[in-house]
Every structure is written in structure tokens, then in C-alpha cells.
Amino acid sequence: MSKVKPLKWNLLLFLIGFSVFGQRQMENLDRGIISINQNGKFFISWRVLGTDPDDLAFNLYRKSEIGNAILLNEKPITGAANFIDETAKANENNTWFVKTVVNGKEKEEKGSFTITANAAVKDYLSIPLKAINGYTANDISVGDLNGDGQYELVVHMTGVGHDNSHKGLTDPVVLQAYTLEGRFLWEINLGKNIREGAHYTQFMVYDLDGDGIAEIVCKTADGSVDGTGKVIGDASKDWRDTDEKSGTFGKILKGPEYLTVFDGRTGSAVTTVDYIAERGDIGAWGGRGGNGGNDASGNRVDRFTACVAYLDGVHPSVVMCRGYYGRIVLAAWDFKDKKLTSRWVFDTKDGKSPYSGMGNHGLSVADVDADGKDEIIYGSMCVDDNGKGLYTTGYRHGDALHVSDLDPEIPGLEVFGVHEIEEGTKGPGVALFSAANGKTLFTAMNDEDVGRGVADNIDNTRAGAQMWWSGSKFLYDIKGNEIGESPRAANFLIYWDGDASRELLNSNYIDKYGKGRLFTAEGAQSNNGTKSTPGLSADILGDWREELILRSTDNTELRIYSTTIPTDIRQYTLMHDPQYRLSIAWQNVGYNQPPHASFYMGKGMKPAPKPDIVLVKTH
């Protein structure tokens, strides 16, 4: 195992919440207010920003079409950012908004929420989908696409798709954008030369150049069409293998590969460059058993992941990645003045590298060494902000990854993951290690293939994260002790009720560990088969709890569910914690994983450290 650079003074600064590094550029969000009618009682919640002073107070107002706005709270609200309005009349148009209060003086704030008169009582917001025959809504990401302080949705619409290990032609990948009010914005069609499947199109949505408008970045090819109808490359080219008798039928193993940045407002292509890494030797990306072997079927060469990371500590860069069973390449790009510039390329090149074969069906981004800059945790390995390998554990490929302060008794962050044991490989099926240096803290299921696993604080009677995985009978504390019965599902997590512990999200329902069902989204469904992942789960509205976005069972709409359970916890929006925000950007990648904050959340948590961020202004 290679050694990590010394932490020393940087770690001390990290632990005391003080930074000498630059402030990270972050979205300038409005108050994200939301109101939900609960049979005549309206639950309202709103955002506390990461830049708000701790003593900032709020006044909540409601305005109907009759008369002036009415102050709903008796005294300024200094605690949690939620309120129950029992006096609103459902037969009137009602609009709620907040004002901040400093030294007794009010200040106007952006953001409001309206429920129209006699609106049907629903426990969700409806986003009608622009239908495409044979397509359904799958992965979703969010960004402020127009600079109004609200999130918009970018939706991956999927038709016929195939896993990399399967032959066959697929439908083109389509990306659509919508406002939270349900207005369709634009559509990008990546064309016949981009294959559909969970491992192919990893799309990043983020404000990369700090102008207050999010960009969309993804791999493109000849015939991709942007949101204005402009074609990228040569539309006459068809690089698919259309020979049904071929071992690579339906795959795309020839032709140019591009990387394109799209404008969030219109979906128009801003700039296109050659994709890094190019295919090269198709068989050199790994075979069964990892580093060794050769896969000429076009399976391992087209395993993609992606992320956004603050590699200089201030500006976000996009990192596009290829391979994880054998050769691994991470290519970091900066976007400025409407141009993409290569920042660095990490390449294991061949099986002689200790980093070869260490990738996951996903990744995570965090400042693991407390130097103010982000690292990429790429499964069983970590790449430093400068594009150099930081360490490798040797635990090889896996399907699930969780990075956060899972053990609050140990300084810094921890990484929990599960691992596949392929032919010719050995090692733990479950591992917990230090995010800073890869030091092993816990292992289990030696030489056994484990497909799924989760770590977070789900038991609200115990401090620290708990761990469980597919096939485990027990729930374990973060030290590795058996403490209870394992949850049935090991898929997703969500903050939903009023305490700081996480709830269990699976399919279309939310459970509280040890207490049972909290919520079921009737008439809605999850994605990706038995993985049962949401379109997105993220803190995009209201207070710090997370919204759940699912597609309706008839595939005509997206449904955004937000909790109506009161909380006493005042917490700034998780989207202003940089690690959590970057988790939302990569949530759609590969085998979707739940987001995590950079600090411990759960039973016995301390107040969250103030994020060292600066809110950008829309140009």
C-alpha cells in the first residue's frame, strides 16, 4: 500500500473547522420554500443557507388574492425552518414566503410557493413529462439552469438499453430539462452512436465556470443533437456493429468519441473536444479476474464514471473516467471562457500498476486529507487533487461505496464498501478504511462476493454509523460489533423524519429502522430493477431533509415528495456542504448511491461546521 502525504497542520485545521484555503464557489440559492396541504393544514419549510449567521431569524408570511400578506408567526423564528399553517383557506390562492430578521429589521428574500385555489390535495409536486414513445424517466440530476436561485431537473430518458456484457442495438440516450413548476425547457438527443445502459452515459450537471448558470457535460459522438437542433460531428456516420452474427453486435467500438459542454439555459452545445481516454487497445481494459485477461467483446472498455471536484479548492472541475476492472483513466477538465482545458490525466496503463482493477460501479468525492482540495475515491483507491495516486487498498472492484465521517470517534472521514470476488482474486467482501490513507479499520465476508452494502447512522439510539450488507443477518456498529437485526434492504437512504438519523429508502417506501413504515409513495415507482433506486434523492427544497423524486407508474410524470414531519433541528441546507452537493452531481453515475455529508450526521451529532463557501452571482 502506498503512503499518503502527512496531514499534521491541515488535519488540525479541518478538525477545528478553520480554513486558510480559498472559498469554494457554490450556488446562490433562494429560500426554497415549499408548502404541502395535509387535509387543510399546510406544512411549510424553507432553506437556511450555509452562509447565514447562526442567529438569523425568519418571519413567515402568507398572501392570498384578498388583502395584504399576513405574518403567521408570533415572534421571529430562530429555530428549525418549518411551520404548520392552520389558518389558510384551500378555496383561495395562497402564496407563502419568508423574510429574514436581523436586529429587528426585516429583509426581503428570494423564493415563494403558491397553491392555487381548490387545488387537488396531493402529497407530491407533479412534473408532467414530454412523452417519447417507449421511453421512461430514469436518473435525474439538478442544477440552477437559468440563474433564478431555484433548481431545475435534468432527466435521463431511457428506451431500450443493454448492459455492456450483452449484445444488441439500443435506443438513443435522451436528456430533458424541466423547471420545478413543470415547464419543459429543452431536449438533447445523443444519437445512435451513444449506447444506452447504466455504464455508458454519465452526465454531470454543475456550474463549472462560476457564472451562476449550471452546465451539462457528457460524452457525445457523431450525430448527437443539442437542445437547439445543432448536430455534433458527422450525422451521416453509423459506427454501430449491425452484424447480428457478430460477437459485438450493437456495440460501438469504432469512430470518434467526444466530450461536450451544454448550456443549461438552452441545451445548446458550447464546446466539444476529443474524449479522454480514447479506446486504444479494446482488450486492455481488463478481463475476468481483474488485472489479467483480455476482453475483446467491448464490455470492459466502455465502463464509464464521472464526477465534479474542487481540485484547486475554489473552482469546480469535471472528471470523466473510463475503466475499473483493469486499466483505469481519470481525465480532469477545467471549463472557463466557454472552453474545456485538460487539467491532468491519471492512467494506470496496465496491470503492473497497483491501481489497476480497483474501480467501482461508482465513485465518491471528498477532501480526504484536509488540504482544502478534493480527492476522488475511486472504489478501492484514491486519486489526489493533483492527479497522482494517493493510495490503493488492493481490495479491488465493488458495487457500493459510502464516504463520510462514519466514526465520529476517529478524526477524518471513513470509506465503507463492498467488493466482488472474481475468478483468481481473494480478499474481503466488506471493508471499512480510513479515507485519508487507506488504513483498514474493519473487514468481513472474506473471499465472498458481496453485491450491496450501506453505512450510516440509522439507529437513533446509538451514536456513529451502522453497517450492513446483502447476506448479513446482523446490523453492525462502526467498530464491527453485532448490535441488532439487519434491515431487509441494502439500497438507499434518506433524511425524512425529525431526528438527525437517516431513514431507509427502498423502492417507493421509507422505513425507520426498528419502527417500521413511515411513508409510501402510492402510484410511483423506482428505477433499475432490484436496485430500486430513486430518480433522485436530494435536499432540493425546504429545510435540510431530502426530497424523493420518482416516476409515476404510468410514466406520465415525475413526482417530488417532501417530508411533512416537523423537526426541531436547525441545519443549513445540505446542498451548501460541498461534499454533499458533489454527491448529488455523481448520484446518477453507474450503480446509484445515496449522498453523504462531509460531517457526521446522526445521534449525538455536533453542530455542523460552517462551510467555507462563497455564493456566486449570475452574470
Side-chain angles (χ1 to χ4, degrees):
M1 182 184 298
S2 58
K3 294 182 179 179
V4 69
K5 60 188 178 184
L7 301 182
K8 296 183 180 179
W9 179 241
N10 286 349
L11 179 57
L12 177 61
L13 294 175
F14 175 80
L15 294 175
I16 64 176
F18 175 75
S19 174
V20 296
F21 309 112
Q23 292 180 303
R24 297 183 180 217
Q25 296 177 352
M26 295 291 289
E27 293 154 319
N28 196 343
L29 301 172
D30 70 9
R31 291 296 169 178
I33 195 164
I34 184 173
S35 178
I36 301 173
N37 187 350
Q38 295 183 289
N39 296 317
K41 296 181 179 180
F42 295 82
F43 180 84
I44 302 106
S45 68
W46 59 94
R47 286 192 189 103
V48 176
L49 304 179
T51 53
D52 285 340
D54 292 338
D55 59 352
L56 187 69
F58 296 91
N59 280 335
L60 174 64
Y61 289 87
R62 183 189 70 244
K63 180 176 176 56
S64 65
E65 69 266 31
I66 303 174
N68 297 322
I70 300 171
L71 177 64
L72 298 178
N73 47 291
E74 295 181 358
K75 59 182 180 179
I77 298 169
T78 57
N82 60 85
F83 188 91
I84 296 178
D85 183 357
E86 299 184 13
T87 61
K89 297 179 180 179
N91 62 350
E92 296 179 358
N93 292 329
N94 291 297
T95 298
W96 291 266
F97 59 93
V98 295
K99 296 181 180 181
T100 51
V101 183
V102 178
N103 296 324
K105 296 183 178 179
E106 286 188 331
K107 178 184 176 182
E108 300 285 340
E109 293 288 331
K110 294 190 302 180
S112 64
F113 191 89
T114 299
I115 296 181
T116 58
N118 301 312
V121 177
K122 297 179 179 180
D123 59 354
Y124 60 88
L125 305 182
S126 174
I127 310 293
L129 289 169
K130 179 185 175 184
I132 306 175
N133 187 35
Y135 278 67
T136 59
N138 198 270
D139 291 337
I140 299 168
S141 193
V142 294
D144 186 352
L145 301 183
N146 53 24
D148 64 355
Q150 297 181 1
Y151 284 117
E152 282 75 44
L153 308 179
V154 178
V155 185
H156 180 177
M157 301 292 290
T158 62
V160 174
H162 285 294
D163 187 87
N164 294 53
S165 60
H166 301 159
K167 299 189 298 180
L169 298 172
T170 74
D171 288 330
V173 174
V174 175
L175 300 176
Q176 294 182 341
Y178 297 87
T179 69
L180 292 180
E181 293 78 25
R183 182 165 59 91
F184 172 79
L185 296 177
W186 47 255
E187 179 176 293
I188 296 169
N189 188 316
L190 297 184
K192 58 180 172 289
N193 291 313
I194 293 290
R195 207 162 184 245
E196 173 61 78
H199 308 297
Y200 295 102
T201 295
Q202 320 300 349
F203 64 102
M204 292 293 101
V205 181
Y206 213 84
D207 178 12
L208 296 173
D209 58 1
D211 67 351
I213 306 293
E215 286 78 35
I216 299 89
V217 187
C218 67
K219 184 172 176 283
T220 55
D222 284 338
S224 295
V225 180
D226 75 4
T228 65
K230 180 181 177 181
V231 176
I232 296 168
D234 186 345
S236 69
K237 299 294 186 181
D238 186 347
W239 297 104
R240 299 173 297 172
D241 183 344
T242 55
D243 181 359
E244 295 186 27
K245 298 180 180 179
S246 169
T248 57
F249 169 57
K251 298 191 177 184
I252 303 163
L253 302 176
K254 297 179 181 179
E257 299 174 287
Y258 308 126
L259 180 65
T260 299
V261 177
F262 297 92
D263 183 272
R265 289 163 291 199
T266 63
S268 61
V270 178
T271 187
T272 296
V273 297
D274 290 335
Y275 190 88
I276 300 175
E278 60 185 16
R279 299 181 188 96
D281 180 356
I282 290 173
W285 295 87
R288 297 296 297 180
N291 291 347
N294 184 293
D295 173 22
S297 70
N299 180 1
R300 306 302 170 97
V301 64
D302 277 353
R303 302 279 179 152
F304 298 98
T305 56
C307 63
V308 173
Y310 290 79
L311 300 174
D312 67 357
V314 176
H315 309 93
S317 301
V318 64
V319 185
M320 306 303 292
C321 317
R322 187 175 212 149
Y324 38 80
Y325 289 102
R327 184 186 176 195
I328 290 170
V329 180
L330 283 70
W333 298 87
D334 295 333
F335 179 67
K336 184 179 180 181
D337 298 328
K338 301 186 183 304
K339 295 180 180 179
L340 278 170
T341 304
S342 176
R343 185 177 187 87
W344 50 250
V345 178
F346 172 90
D347 191 345
T348 65
K349 296 182 180 178
D350 54 43
K352 296 180 181 179
S353 169
Y355 291 87
S356 291
M358 297 297 156
N360 266 31
H361 287 285
L363 43 62
S364 189
V365 179
D367 179 9
V368 305
D369 53 9
D371 66 354
K373 304 174 184 179
D374 285 329
E375 283 70 46
I376 296 95
I377 302 94
Y378 203 74
S380 296
M381 56 177 267
C382 185
V383 177
D384 205 352
D385 56 80
N386 60 6
K388 307 295 184 182
L390 193 60
Y391 62 80
T392 173
T393 65
Y395 291 148
R396 305 202 51 73
H397 167 72
D399 289 359
L401 186 70
H402 302 265
V403 182
S404 187
D405 188 4
L406 302 173
D407 188 343
E409 294 182 357
I410 299 177
L413 308 175
E414 290 78 40
V415 179
F416 171 85
V418 297
H419 305 275
E420 291 182 3
I421 307 300
E422 294 190 308
E423 181 183 350
T425 66
K426 293 183 178 181
V430 174
L432 176 76
F433 57 88
S434 166
N437 56 23
K439 178 183 177 182
T440 300
L441 303 172
F442 170 80
T443 61
M445 308 295 285
N446 197 46
D447 297 337
E448 295 191 41
D449 192 314
V450 181
R452 299 175 196 173
V454 185
D456 210 337
N457 180 250
I458 61 167
D459 184 343
N460 65 356
T461 69
R462 298 174 182 269
Q466 290 83 45
M467 307 177 287
W468 72 104
W469 51 87
S470 54
S472 65
K473 295 180 180 180
F474 302 103
L475 182 71
Y476 296 80
D477 67 17
I478 205 62
K479 306 296 187 183
N481 302 306
E482 298 175 4
I483 58 172
E485 183 180 352
S486 174
R488 292 183 179 180
N491 285 332
F492 236 74
L493 299 162
I494 191 170
Y495 292 112
W496 191 259
D497 69 2
D499 64 33
S501 298
R502 213 89 179 258
E503 282 66 60
L504 304 167
L505 170 59
N506 188 53
S507 186
N508 67 336
Y509 58 85
I510 297 170
D511 288 342
K512 183 74 172 176
Y513 178 73
K515 297 183 179 179
R517 189 65 39 89
L518 293 182
F519 176 77
T520 301
E522 301 288 353
Q525 61 185 339
S526 57
N527 297 325
N528 305 318
T530 59
K531 291 181 176 60
S532 300
T533 52
L536 183 72
S537 181
D539 176 20
I540 64 170
L541 286 167
D543 59 31
W544 56 273
R545 272 83 61 82
E546 293 170 301
E547 278 63 51
L548 168 62
I549 309 181
L550 301 170
R551 56 190 169 100
S552 61
T553 52
D554 62 5
N555 294 306
T556 61
E557 64 178 352
L558 294 174
R559 296 182 176 184
I560 303 176
Y561 298 90
S562 189
T563 187
T564 58
I565 301 173
T567 182
D568 295 326
I569 298 174
R570 178 179 172 122
Q571 165 67 51
Y572 59 80
T573 175
L574 297 179
M575 295 297 254
H576 275 170
D577 173 60
Q579 181 178 325
Y580 181 93
R581 180 63 186 91
L582 296 174
S583 298
I584 301 307
W586 58 245
Q587 188 180 136
N588 67 76
V589 169
Y591 293 167
N592 303 22
Q593 297 288 287
H596 292 278
S598 64
F599 50 87
Y600 169 70
M601 284 194 70
K603 173 70 174 180
M605 72 175 288
K606 298 177 181 179
K610 277 291 193 180
D612 192 16
I613 61 175
V614 60
L615 306 183
V616 302
K617 296 181 179 180
T618 304
H619 295 178

